[in-house]
Amino acid sequence: MSTTNASSEAPLEGGRRGLRRRRPAAGTPAAAARDRRRSKQRRRLANIAGLLAALVLTGVGYSALAPGASAADDATGNPSNAVEAGRELYTRSCITCHGSNLQGVQDRGPSLIGVGEAAVYFQVHTGRMPLVRQEAQAPERPPVFSEEEIDQLMAYIQENGGGPTLPSGDLRDGDLAEGGELFRLNCAQCHNFTGMGGALSSGKRAPSLMEADDLTIYAAMLSGPENMPVFGDNQLTPDEKRSIITYVQTIKAAADPGGAGIGRVGPVAEGLVMWTVGVGALLFGIFWMGTKAP
Amino acid sequence: MATTTTTAPGQPTTLVGKAALEVDDRLIVAGPVRRTLNKVFPDHWSFLLGEIALYAFVVLLLSGTYLTFFYDATMTEVTYQGSYAAMRGIEMSAAFESSLDISFDVRGGLLIRQMHHWAALLFVAAICVHLLRIFFTGAFRRPRETNWFIGVALLVLAMLEGFAGYTLPDDLLSGTGLRIFSAVFLSIPVIGTWVYFTVFGGDFPGELIIGRLYILHVLIIPAILLALIALHLLILVKQKHTQFPGAGRTEHNVVGNRLFPTFAGKATALFFIVFGLCAALGGLVQINPFWLFGPYNPAQVSAGSQPDWYIGFVDGGSRIFPPWEIVLWGYHIPPVLWGALGIPGVMFTLLALYPIIERKLTGDTASHHLLQRPRDVPVRTSLGMMAITAYVVLWISGGNDVIAEKFDISLNAMTWFGRIGFLVLPPIAYWITYRICLGLERHDREVLEHGIETGVIRRLPSGEFIEVHQPLGPVDEHGHGQLAYGGASVPKKMNQVGGARRAIKGFFSPIEEPAEVQRQAELEARGLESEQASRELTGSGRPSEGGRPSEGGRPQQEPRD
């Protein structure tokens, strides 16, 4: 069997299987070299020749693959194209902490195998990743990557290990009141009943939901970023997730019927208003009414 | 006989006068009413602080009565079908449902409820500010210890009343507070469990607690509050007001305005200011939006659950107290007991007993009707500032999670700030206050001795520059003032003794007597030299530098200014 045959077939069948088949193809000259065990000199030469042959074959294989990829550029949404672009982005911005095989790096970043595109969407879309520095928790920032680049990264991570995927369609079609009940049961412990967020230990915190869009909330529930637990579809069904999103977004948009919301943080802000505005105004009033000199 | 009575000069001729006579003929009230209407109130602003609390209480009674028309204090499970969409179909207690109805379906309900809540915060705040005024001026000294005890009792009752009211909507926030309260009951050694079951009548939350708190909130505590407030005021009227020391003020008189008409006018105005403020806050600033919190469910809890501000220090004490589990004679004493009952217990005991403690320490058992300025009693003032500092640290710790979240501080750092700050900051506050008191007192003495700094710099024949000082009274042969330190306010600026030649109206600074300044100005306009001479400024007063002892240290020339 000829090695050129195998490598020429590989690109037609797609990248991954092609790569698998090239390995025995590269090994063939090495097998031939086994027969020529005469002297060290000859063996070395044979090894070099084998290596060269392998390199040439890889090169040929790649050149055969590359035109195929560029040709697919016209047809948008080709997964292999997005995966490839995602890999490029990953290698440039993520590999330092998450490792060359998504396996993670000790004390730097966790493994990304199996986190799925939901985790990528949440982390990258909210600007939490790429991380600026190691601290208690990645803060929310303007995203570094464009929507298209985020899609490419999502495709790359999804391709390598799979994991939870993003939902499609309207996420606000759930039941409002049921969503409220589920929110108070599952989310309010950390995010506060008004979604204002709350402090966790050692500088970590559950962020405010005021800026979060539907998909971000959904992705967070699916992927459980940072300290947040994962709410898989067996814990909160997709319908229940949609109900929670409906509740959060409705409450956020709702006007405060009682007047100024003072941050909706409850008694701390109310006490502050009482002692500054209330007592302040009354002290002003009695200064006005009474004499000042004792 | 009959003719002499009909022609008496006091016989009323007007309709009102005749009606008043008819009433007096039957009830004989003219004497007591005249005495009451002539009661003199000191007019210093700080005497109005307690009144703010009184008027806040009136607002609470009025708004609270309206709320009772619509509130249902039962914990029966109902399914909400009202007009707030985000709760429709949710199971909740009837108490929470009626609270939602008050907020969304009762006309004016939300405004009245918010007014009620703001007035409650104001009530306790005004009591505290009033208490601080009484404390720092020594108004609690004999013979007023009784009224001090009543005041402390009023503060504690107001806090309990507020807590009971905070719990009534039966929402997720107040239910969390109730859960903490139940844990505090349980933490009491030996009797804790019994106390808990007596209060709740079963396992938490049971079906009784809201009804019981309601009766406490609308009947029992308000009745006691009302009785104690009446007693507080009766004792005040009987003992008469204290007053700050000053010209014409002695231990045997009260300088100020009569109740009628001046003080009655001011008091009515203040009532409307307080009412207006509560209405403005109730209408403009949202308070306790429990429709966002949801009905109480023991399975749920929210981050950032806080009590109202006046219970915040109790929460703070529980949050920063170290997790020490102590076992004594087989009884387990959980740390929550120290934070939630120990700290407030010590605080209120010390507060109530302070008049006795101070009497023992100073040996001063005399009756006092003249107040002390805080600077004149540095130890008491510093102790007070120390207590306030400790309280504020506890208070901040009560909201430490919200502060940590909003200001991006580690919650652990906030906890350790509370622990260290509670021990370290009060002594620092004591020392700083003590130094400030001494400094202020020394400055008063210096002005009494050397006069007011005029800002006029003179060059003496020897070439030395001096600042001209205006003595406040006669001086001795060294130019030193003869006035004794009396603990009264000392003028520190020329404007305060007519130096500006016109009346200075101030908001925060004292107003001069406009009549006196006016008279001086008119006399000057007529060129009366004698009046002019008495207003001259003096030099250093040293005889060697132009001041003659015989002239009271005055220089011959009037200084240029």
Side-chain angles (χ1 to χ4, degrees), chain B residues 1-9 11:
Chain B
M1 285 275 289
T3 46
T4 47
T5 44
T6 47
T7 55
Q11 194 63 22

Side-chain angles (χ1 to χ4, degrees), chain B residues 143-154:
Chain B
R144 293 181 177 77
E145 302 99 323
T146 320
N147 244 5
W148 171 266
F149 297 143
I150 293 174
V152 174
L154 280 171

Side-chain angles (χ1 to χ4, degrees), chain B residues 52-69 112-113 115-121 123 154 161 214-230 233 271 274-275 278:
Chain B
I52 295 178
L54 179 66
Y55 301 143
F57 187 66
V58 174
V59 175
L60 284 169
L61 288 180
L62 294 176
S63 55
T65 306
Y66 184 77
L67 296 176
T68 59
F69 298 159
I112 299 292
R113 192 185 67 74
M115 270 182 77
H116 190 71
H117 204 138
W118 282 118
L121 297 194
F123 181 50
L154 280 171
E161 172 76 345
Y214 183 60
I215 287 302
L216 271 182
H217 182 77
V218 302
L219 182 70
I220 299 173
I221 301 180
I224 302 174
L225 277 174
L226 209 54
L228 285 181
I229 288 173
L233 294 179
F271 171 71
V274 171
F275 192 95
C278 292

